Amino acid sequence: MTSTAIAPPPLAPALAAPRARAHEVDNRAAYVSFGLAYVLGHGAAAVSGGDSPWIALPGWLPVTLLGTGLVTGIVLATRAALRAQRGAAAPDVLSGKLLGAAWVVAFTALFLAITGLTSVLGDPELGSVLWPAGSGLVVGLLYLAEGSVRRNLLHYGLGGWLALVSTAALLFASPGLFWVLAVAGGGAYALAAPLEHRRLRALAP
């Protein structure tokens, strides 16, 4: 009578050693750029706005600082997303392309909405309030979508915070609105950058 060796059962998936997901998007550079845009751009608008400005700055400077940081951040975020898509499965590549197109659609819709409101109401100064708050809301909602698709809780949480802060800032008159965006928005990005580094290290094989 021969004995048959009994092979041990395979390791259950729940007990298997965790493995890092491939093709993770590295958002560190984009977070730093967006954070600088918020701190320098909105910060410059905050210190130079109101009836008693702290510093007299030309009106074009805050807009230039904000725009430069945002455009740079969008470019860096796009490069990081494209880099992560190399060798990815077709469904993941399609999701990345759709998310990239969502940025264009969302900001085009924001432009049309603000242009229409300022034109119909006859108040061009309204754009100086709606653009910073509206762009923060749009970015926050896009982060929520990206965080959901990529299963990135940090990105999702940052998006939710930016969406809430940007809309809550409308409760304050200028320059209070810009102070809220600079401190709460820029501070969130400043915190998210090192947390993103920690997240990527945890996912590294």
Side-chain angles (χ1 to χ4, degrees):
M1 182 175 179
T2 60
S3 60
T4 303
I6 300 176
L11 187 63
L15 300 178
R19 295 180 59 188
R21 294 194 301 268
H23 313 297
E24 281 292 324
V25 178
D26 184 352
N27 296 298
R28 287 175 293 183
Y31 286 168
V32 171
S33 182
F34 281 125
L36 289 174
Y38 268 64
V39 172
L40 298 179
H42 293 317
V47 299
S48 62
D51 297 330
S52 302
W54 291 12
I55 304 173
L57 296 175
W60 55 266
L61 184 58
V63 177
T64 302
L65 291 173
L66 179 65
T68 301
L70 292 180
V71 170
T72 303
I74 291 174
V75 171
L76 292 173
T78 302
R79 289 181 59 186
L82 292 175
R83 190 181 303 114
Q85 288 180 14
R86 294 174 185 171
D92 294 331
V93 174
L94 177 59
S95 297
K97 291 180 178 180
L98 292 176
L99 289 172
W103 282 79
V104 178
V105 174
F107 274 97
T108 301
L110 180 65
F111 169 79
L112 294 174
I114 294 177
T115 302
L117 284 173
T118 54
S119 176
V120 170
L121 298 177
D123 186 5
E125 295 298 324
L126 190 61
S128 63
V129 173
L130 292 180
W131 268 114
S135 60
L137 172 61
V138 166
V139 170
L141 294 178
L142 290 170
Y143 277 9
L144 286 173
E146 291 179 346
S148 300
V149 172
R150 296 170 178 160
R151 301 180 297 280
N152 186 333
L153 295 180
L154 173 61
H155 207 61
Y156 186 93
L158 178 60
W161 175 258
L162 290 174
L164 293 174
V165 165
S166 299
T167 49
L170 291 171
L171 298 173
F172 300 88
S174 179
L177 176 143
F178 297 104
W179 280 116
V180 172
L181 293 175
V183 175
Y189 275 114
L191 178 62
L195 289 179
E196 175 72 351
H197 179 74
R198 180 180 178 182
R199 183 185 74 89
L200 293 173
R201 286 190 61 184
L203 292 174

